[in-house]
Amino acid sequence: LSEFDNGIPKPPEHERNPGPGKNDVLVLYGSAKALPDVDAGTVYVDENGDDSSIPHMAARDATKNCGGLNVVFTGVYGAMEQCIAIVGNYESYHVQRWLRIDPAGGSNLDASLPLTPVGRGLQTNGKDKFSAPTDRFALESQALLETYFQRLDDSLEALKPMADACAGSDNTVIVMVCNTGHAELLVNFLCAARARGFGDVAKEKLLVFATDEGALKIAEGLGLRTFYDEKVFEKMPEKEAAQYGDWVFAKMMYAKVVAVQLVNRLGHDVLFQDVDLVWYKNPIPLFHNRTNPLHNFDVLFQDDGARSLRYAPYNANTGFYYVRNNDKTKFLFRSLLYLGDMVLSMTSHQQALAALLDEHSSLTGLRVKTLSGADFPGGYHYHRKKEIPFLKDVARGKYVPYLLHMSW
């Protein structure tokens, strides 16, 4: 897939065991004219010594005569006996999923049941990770949006001079959202950046969205450009979340959606960061290096590490990501803003954004990239025993990533 970088990370088992066949792709040709040239690539004979096996060749040779290429990512999920049907018909850019399960959920796979169409979020254990939000969340989202639109002109007027000042010559604004409960992590980020020699960059480019007056006073006391609107954030909690997915967490996730959307709307690139990370190197130049393949992508995310169904296929972590300013990304974050009921019901914007990334990649051609876990490590490196040697190398200075994000 290095020839056609779709931005999707490899499954962990492929990264750990890159054995024969792990990186193979099966190509089906729609016509004889699309077939590769006869002398292209290398044919590997099977164990019997004949040439009846499927030929192996480089991706460029295999697709040389293809006028178009539809790429489908699929795998065996939940150790079930999975089949794949490709149907000649009017073009579809979605996968229809059928399982032998009760579509209402709540029960495991049952081989005695007929195959029935289900949503993408229904797991083989009967739990649905993408159930539709109820009216309760729709009304909560409606109230938040009413405040957003009532305060929009004033918010943009207050934000514009601050965002312009942060953007500088590369038009990039670092955005962080913080309440009083997490303010010490904001201080830690700045102190760590200063200790490594780029504290001035972090301070000059950082725009803090304070969700309460306590965070506002702390951020301004640190000399940071800070936005706070008591009407927009009047229902936001001051304390830190007790655990992932609780009410405090969900409300803060919505605040992060608003923060990125507003700065993106003002015409700036956005480097969004959670406060629970530190830089080892300034990552901004990487995203502006025109000779780097990463420059071809519209949005770039840290790898979450989880390969769960609800984050597929990009497994994007929403605690560190870069957004280039263009019509595609503006449409993406407007769409996310209007999915407040989904954000609140799922208690995280990460899951809602994961679904939108896949949809917008197909719909508008949005280029999405999941960054290298080695260069942008996160909480899964800390919590998984097999990653301990890597983190020890980071701690000893043998390997220097761009950052460490204590997610999870």
Side-chain angles (χ1 to χ4, degrees), residues 47-280:
E47 294 180 355
N48 297 324
D50 60 41
D51 59 357
S52 61
S53 62
I54 298 176
H56 284 64
M57 61 184 67
R60 181 171 297 181
D61 292 329
T63 58
K64 179 181 178 181
N65 299 322
C66 296
L69 179 66
N70 289 347
V71 179
V72 178
F73 288 84
T74 189
V76 178
Y77 181 78
M80 62 181 172
E81 296 73 21
Q82 179 162 297
C83 301
I84 300 170
I86 299 177
V87 181
N89 206 327
Y90 189 61
E91 192 75 46
S92 172
Y93 294 96
H94 292 81
V95 175
Q96 294 188 6
R97 190 161 175 257
W98 297 61
L99 290 178
R100 296 187 187 277
I101 198 171
D102 182 349
S107 60
N108 295 332
L109 286 176
D110 186 344
S112 67
L113 295 175
L115 287 166
T116 186
V118 298
R120 58 184 278 185
L122 187 60
Q123 300 179 146
T124 54
N125 61 5
K127 294 182 179 180
D128 193 347
K129 294 299 184 179
F130 278 105
S131 56
T134 63
D135 288 346
R136 167 200 162 192
F137 296 108
L139 291 173
E140 287 187 29
S141 176
Q142 178 180 319
L144 290 170
L145 281 173
E146 286 176 353
T147 302
Y148 168 89
F149 283 113
Q150 288 169 359
R151 300 291 301 164
L152 181 58
D153 290 343
D154 290 340
S155 295
L156 293 175
E157 183 179 357
L159 271 174
K160 189 178 187 312
M162 289 190 286
D164 289 348
C166 290
S169 59
D170 59 16
N171 196 37
T172 299
V173 179
I174 304 170
V175 172
M176 285 182 160
V177 175
C178 186
N179 65 3
T180 301
H182 286 129
E184 62 184 18
L185 293 173
L186 174 64
V187 176
N188 183 68
F189 167 73
L190 290 172
C191 290
R194 183 180 302 168
R196 293 186 172 93
F198 34 77
D200 290 344
V201 174
K203 185 176 179 180
E204 283 302 309
K205 299 194 75 62
L206 177 57
L207 176 55
V208 176
F209 282 72
T211 60
D212 60 69
E213 291 187 357
L216 171 66
K217 292 177 181 178
I218 293 171
E220 289 184 337
L222 293 168
L224 299 173
R225 297 182 181 93
T226 309
F227 173 81
Y228 172 67
D229 187 314
E230 63 180 3
K231 294 296 183 181
V232 174
F233 296 130
E234 65 179 345
K235 297 180 181 179
M236 295 298 161
E238 294 186 14
K239 66 177 182 179
E240 69 275 15
Q243 61 183 0
Y244 177 89
D246 67 9
W247 178 84
V248 174
F249 188 91
K251 292 288 187 179
M252 289 300 293
M253 295 307 101
Y254 187 81
K256 293 176 182 181
V257 172
V258 172
V260 173
Q261 191 273 331
L262 287 174
V263 178
N264 176 251
R265 173 173 174 152
L266 285 170
H268 302 295
D269 288 7
V270 177
L271 175 58
F272 179 82
Q273 301 183 162
D274 280 346
V275 292
D276 58 344
L277 60 73
V278 293
W279 284 2
Y280 288 88

